[in-house]
Amino acid sequence: MQASDMKDLWSGKRVLVAEDNPLVAMDIEDTLLAVGAQVVGPVAAAADAVSRCLNGPLDAAILDFNLHGGPVTPVLEILWERSVPMVICTGAGLPQEVSSRFPGLRVCLKPVGPDTLLTRLSEAHEAVTAGR
């Protein structure tokens, strides 16, 4: 997908960013802003991410798997149930039980570049649109 397609797809969309490393969070935020997305967050704790999920509509999410306060699994459950496209960015991969519970979940291993991140997020969007 080309840059102009990314802008068409993500312009004005509300994307939750849950990342506890401030520099990584800023990079993700800059990537999303460059394609016109509205960044929700970033938040650094799982409880804050859950709160953002429950207090407003979201069009997509980029989540670190291990946040302050524990894994992001409660957020995954909420977003999965609502068919919100999401990408997990992690340095360690996902536990097998999480991969099994959320088949087709897009995962990026850190460090991840902006183009790869946007491509994975767009793939997640296409998968949700097609019924996963």
Side-chain angles (χ1 to χ4, degrees):
M1 194 175 271
Q2 296 188 358
S4 61
D5 295 331
M6 292 290 183
K7 283 191 175 197
D8 289 343
L9 180 59
W10 296 111
S11 182
K13 299 289 197 274
R14 293 175 43 86
V15 182
L16 172 64
V17 175
E19 170 60 60
D20 57 4
N21 179 314
L23 294 176
V24 174
M26 285 189 297
D27 283 345
I28 293 170
E29 185 174 17
D30 288 347
T31 297
L32 292 169
L33 291 173
V35 294
Q38 295 178 8
V39 176
V40 177
V43 297
D48 293 334
V50 168
S51 177
R52 297 293 175 105
C53 289
L54 299 175
N55 291 318
L58 296 171
D59 298 300
I62 299 173
L63 312 168
D64 182 4
F65 185 73
N66 292 302
L67 295 172
H68 295 304
V72 75
T73 311
V75 180
L76 289 174
E77 292 168 349
I78 294 167
L79 297 176
W80 189 265
E81 184 177 303
R82 295 180 180 179
S83 296
V84 174
M86 60 187 139
V87 173
I88 303 296
C89 293
T90 180
L94 292 181
Q96 181 59 41
E97 63 272 9
V98 173
S99 296
S100 297
R101 278 183 65 196
F102 305 100
L105 182 62
R106 301 309 193 268
V107 178
C108 293
L109 293 178
K110 293 178 185 178
V112 59
D115 292 339
T116 300
L117 184 61
L118 288 171
T119 297
R120 293 295 170 271
L121 191 60
S122 297
E123 290 170 354
H125 177 270
E126 290 171 13
V128 166
T129 303
R132 285 207 176 106

